[in-house]
């Protein structure tokens, strides 16, 4: 594994369900040691200021640290009931290996449902409700989960390894949404540390994006930026059954979002991003989705409004334990961010108003 692959493995295998992002915070701190001044907001978002002398304009580059997961709610005999944290499609939960984070130890189990061998035909064809599912950690007889130190409120994270795939460019892992955004922040700041940006750059890892963009709202107040650049995953459409004509495809480069349900980007900023991508011959394309949203939806509404845009890395099967993305799209995203930030001087930012 090279340096980027090792970083991908660490970030995706880390546990970071919404509200429990500490492992990811520590990774960002480790990888940016000596590069940024580390702080945090009171909700727990990572705030890293690039250690340069320039104080303005203030540019905020952000990805969210949390992933979708579960939380222990109560017990039924030997089994553990849970609440979902973030958006899960029920079929992806059944049979999912998981880790319960108790605070002092990790306990492995599997998400299960009533056996289809105990169902009649009509029931078997129906998708179970999430509330019908449970976690089996292998207890028998009079053993109870509480006796192992498991408590309601304990986070539950998918148990899935980082796997390089056969073509050498693609990788499978959990939590690409949005560890790949966090890695883009880390790698962009690392490369900028050898340059002299004409602006103050803040790398942010937000918390609780998957449950309502909560860390976005607090972190943007903390940083008080002049421009926000959000990095997230795009929903890849290069799979069977996807809408025809979908632009989000692995290996096509960085996705520049022109519309989603939470944000219409600042047009001048959008044009600047496109100009940089074209001039630097960075592979890119445009995406527009009438659903979903990102931290950018909160960033751009802060104060009297902040010029904001979202750059995305196309990913297959987000919100599962086996997402797939292409490293070349990550590299193009980082290249574009570095070149863009080097253009964001006082004059360029003033032109975004």
């Amino acid at each position: 594994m090279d340096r980027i692959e090792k970083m991908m493995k660490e970030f995706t295998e880390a546990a970071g369900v919404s509200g429990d992002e500490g492992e990811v915070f520590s990774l960002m701190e480790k990888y940016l040691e000596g590069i940024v001044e580390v702080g945090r907001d009171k909700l727990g978002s990572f705030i890293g200021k690039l250690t340069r002398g320039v104080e303005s304009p203030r540019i905020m580059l952000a990805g969210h640290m949390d992933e979708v997961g579960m939380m222990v709610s109560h017990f039924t005999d030997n089994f553990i009931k849970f609440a979902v944290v973030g958006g899960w499609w029920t079929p992806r939960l059944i049979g999912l290996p998981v880790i319960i984070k108790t605070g002092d130890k990790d306990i492995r189990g599997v998400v299960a449902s009533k056996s289809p061998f105990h169902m009649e035909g009509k029931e078997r064809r129906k998708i179970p409700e999430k509330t019908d599912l449970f976690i089996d950690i292998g207890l028998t007889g009079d053993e109870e989960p509480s006796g192992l130190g498991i408590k309601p409120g304990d986070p539950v994270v998918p148990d899935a390894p980082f796997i390089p795939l056969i073509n050498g460019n693609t990788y499978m892992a959990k939590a690409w949404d949005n560890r790949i955004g966090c890695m883009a922040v880390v790698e962009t700041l690392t490369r900028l540390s050898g340059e002299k940006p004409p602006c103050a750059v803040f790398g942010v890892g937000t918390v609780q994006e998957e449950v309502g963009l909560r860390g976005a709202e607090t972190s943007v107040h903390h940083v008080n930026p002049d421009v926000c650049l959000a990095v997230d995953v795009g929903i890849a459409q290069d799979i069977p059954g996807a809408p025809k004509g979908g632009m989000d495809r692995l290996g096509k480069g960085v996705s520049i979002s022109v519309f989603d349900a939470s944000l219409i980007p600042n047009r001048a900023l959008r044009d600047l991003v496109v100009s940089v991508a074209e001039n630097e011959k960075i592979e890119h394309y445009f995406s527009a989705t009438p659903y979903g949203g990102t931290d950018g939806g909160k960033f751009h509404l802060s104060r009297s409004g902040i010029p904001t845009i979202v750059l995305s890395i196309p990913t297959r099967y987000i919100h599962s334990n086996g997402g797939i993305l292409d490293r070349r799209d990550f590299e193009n995203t980082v290249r574009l961010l570095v070149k863009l930030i080097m253009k964001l001087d006082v004059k360029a930012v003033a032109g975004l108003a």
Side-chain angles (χ1 to χ4, degrees):
M1 283 188 178
D2 65 15
R3 180 180 64 87
I4 296 295
E5 288 175 334
K6 289 177 181 177
M7 181 166 63
M8 287 178 166
K9 178 178 173 64
E10 281 195 272
F11 269 86
T12 57
E13 291 185 354
V17 175
S18 305
D20 188 55
E21 299 93 346
E23 288 186 25
V24 188
F25 187 107
S26 295
L27 283 173
M28 294 191 73
E29 189 171 30
K30 181 182 87 168
Y31 275 94
L32 289 171
E33 183 178 5
I35 295 173
V36 302
E37 299 168 2
V38 176
R40 70 174 72 213
D41 68 17
K42 292 183 180 179
L43 209 61
S45 293
F46 176 94
I47 313 286
K49 181 184 178 184
L50 190 65
T51 52
R52 311 297 295 182
V54 178
E55 291 300 321
S56 66
R58 298 165 72 87
I59 312 302
M60 178 169 164
L61 170 62
H64 68 85
M65 298 188 293
D66 60 320
E67 63 186 292
V68 296
M70 290 144 271
M71 179 182 290
V72 174
S73 60
H74 61 283
F75 311 118
T76 300
D77 300 322
N78 304 132
F79 305 98
I80 299 162
K81 300 290 285 186
F82 61 88
V84 296
V85 179
W88 279 101
W89 185 46
T90 306
R92 287 181 173 169
L93 284 168
I94 299 171
L96 179 71
V98 295
I99 300 172
I100 302 169
K101 310 289 289 186
T102 69
D104 61 349
K105 59 181 175 293
D106 293 347
I107 298 176
R108 283 177 160 79
V110 64
V111 178
S113 67
K114 180 181 177 180
S115 171
F117 297 103
H118 300 156
M119 299 177 185
E120 298 296 331
K122 184 176 180 180
E123 184 182 8
R124 189 179 299 175
R125 291 190 295 271
K126 181 182 177 183
I127 296 177
E129 298 291 335
K130 293 182 180 71
T131 51
D132 294 329
L133 306 183
F134 51 87
I135 297 171
D136 187 339
I137 60 172
L139 299 184
T140 61
D142 295 330
E143 296 175 308
E144 296 181 357
S146 59
L148 297 173
I150 300 173
K151 300 183 295 294
D154 284 343
V156 182
V157 65
D159 184 9
F162 167 78
I163 301 174
L165 297 177
I166 195 165
N167 72 353
N169 293 316
T170 54
Y171 305 94
M172 181 169 67
K174 72 169 182 67
W176 287 125
D177 183 11
N178 186 31
R179 301 298 158 66
I180 196 64
C182 295
M183 286 181 272
V185 171
V186 167
E187 187 64 13
T188 299
L189 290 175
T190 300
R191 296 184 190 185
L192 284 172
S193 67
E195 306 288 342
K196 293 183 178 180
C199 50
V201 186
F202 294 81
V204 176
T206 65
V207 296
Q208 299 188 42
E209 190 267 0
E210 297 289 0
V211 290
L213 316 181
R214 298 173 187 176
E217 191 163 3
T218 56
S219 61
V220 74
H221 280 283
H222 187 99
V223 174
N224 192 28
D226 298 298
V227 175
C228 287
L229 309 172
V231 188
D232 213 316
V233 296
I235 301 174
Q237 298 181 9
D238 55 349
I239 61 173
K244 292 183 178 180
M247 295 295 292
D248 285 279
R249 296 172 179 271
L250 272 59
K252 283 193 63 176
V254 53
S255 167
I256 301 172
S257 176
V258 297
F259 173 84
D260 66 33
S262 70
L263 171 68
I264 299 172
N266 175 282
R267 177 174 286 190
L269 178 57
R270 181 204 65 190
D271 291 346
L272 177 61
V273 171
V274 173
S275 173
V276 171
E278 290 176 345
N279 290 338
E280 298 293 335
K281 295 181 171 53
I282 297 170
E283 288 188 274
H284 66 283
Y285 61 95
F286 301 105
S287 62
T289 56
Y291 49 81
T294 70
D295 279 341
K298 289 291 186 182
F299 294 157
H300 81 295
L301 296 176
S302 182
R303 303 194 322 265
S304 60
I306 298 175
T308 300
I309 197 164
V310 179
L311 303 181
S312 300
I313 298 158
T315 307
R316 297 173 182 163
Y317 325 119
I318 68 167
H319 293 196
S320 78
N321 67 329
I324 296 175
L325 54 66
D326 191 313
R327 174 171 172 167
R328 293 169 296 182
D329 299 326
F330 169 77
E331 293 286 355
N332 278 307
T333 302
V334 172
R335 283 183 59 214
L336 179 53
L337 287 167
V338 170
K339 296 295 184 180
L340 173 63
I341 289 170
M342 292 300 294
K343 296 281 187 183
L344 290 173
D345 57 16
V346 172
K347 181 179 179 181
V349 171
L352 303 177

